[in-house]
């Protein structure tokens, strides 16, 4: 699991390789990831948009921007949470995702919340450090 906290908003991410959706012989690899957003602040917030950086093993970067997540712009009360699952295809057997959510308070204040960088790796992949 990967975790980041910005302004008392905690983002936790867990990624899973989906072998049944992937076709490695065609260089198609697919992951699902589950994001939990916990509001540890005293303000009610609404997730307005997302911005993702997706980097494959060759260094190719894709940026994804859009309103809300999975078709929703959830309102999260103090002490509340929201969880969703989405997916990411890559042409390489590994990659990294990171980004941020744009949140808005009830008073109209907008701020960014960091999504922790998380790796997309095949379960049996050997990792090396250079």
């Amino acid at each position: 699991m990967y975790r980041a906290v910005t302004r008392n908003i905690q983002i936790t991410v867990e990624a899973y390789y989906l072998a049944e959706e992937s076709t490695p012989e065609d260089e198609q690899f697919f992951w699902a990831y589950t994001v939990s957003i916990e509001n540890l602040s005293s303000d009610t917030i609404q997730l307005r948009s997302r911005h993702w950086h997706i980097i494959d093993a060759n260094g190719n970067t894709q940026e994804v921007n859009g309103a809300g997540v999975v078709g929703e712009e959830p309102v999260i009360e103090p002490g509340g949470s929201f969880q969703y699952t989405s997916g990411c295809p890559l042409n390489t057997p590994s990659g990294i995702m990171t980004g941020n959510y744009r949140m808005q308070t009830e008073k109209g204040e907008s701020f960014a919340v960091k999504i922790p960088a998380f790796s997309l790796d095949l379960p049996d992949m050997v990792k090396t450090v250079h």
Side-chain angles (χ1 to χ4, degrees):
M1 286 191 132
Y2 301 85
R3 181 173 287 123
V5 178
T6 307
R7 286 185 55 163
N8 290 318
I9 309 302
Q10 180 173 276
I11 309 297
T12 306
V13 182
E14 191 165 5
Y16 310 88
Y17 177 64
L18 299 177
E20 65 279 2
E21 301 290 326
S22 301
T23 52
E25 61 277 6
D26 296 326
E27 296 183 340
Q28 293 296 312
F29 304 88
F30 199 80
W31 283 265
Y33 55 90
T34 299
V35 178
S36 294
I37 303 167
E38 294 181 68
N39 184 356
L40 307 174
S41 77
S42 58
D43 293 318
T44 297
I45 57 169
Q46 183 172 19
L47 191 158
R48 304 299 290 188
S49 65
R50 70 194 182 286
H51 180 88
W52 286 105
H53 294 279
I54 305 165
I55 306 164
D56 71 16
N58 295 326
N60 299 314
T61 300
Q62 178 183 358
E63 298 209 24
V64 177
N65 295 290
V69 290
V70 294
E72 297 185 50
E73 292 185 16
V75 174
I76 309 169
E77 302 286 334
S81 64
F82 177 79
Q83 185 177 77
Y84 73 95
T85 300
S86 191
C88 176
L90 288 180
N91 294 326
T92 61
S94 65
I96 295 173
M97 289 181 67
T98 189
N100 64 67
Y101 297 122
R102 177 64 52 187
M103 301 289 189
Q104 187 173 343
T105 67
E106 285 182 310
K107 297 175 185 170
E109 178 189 3
S110 180
F111 62 97
V113 172
K114 180 176 174 46
I115 302 168
F118 59 96
S119 64
L120 305 170
D121 296 310
L122 297 179
D124 57 352
M125 190 170 168
V126 176
K127 298 174 186 165
T128 57
V129 178
H130 299 279

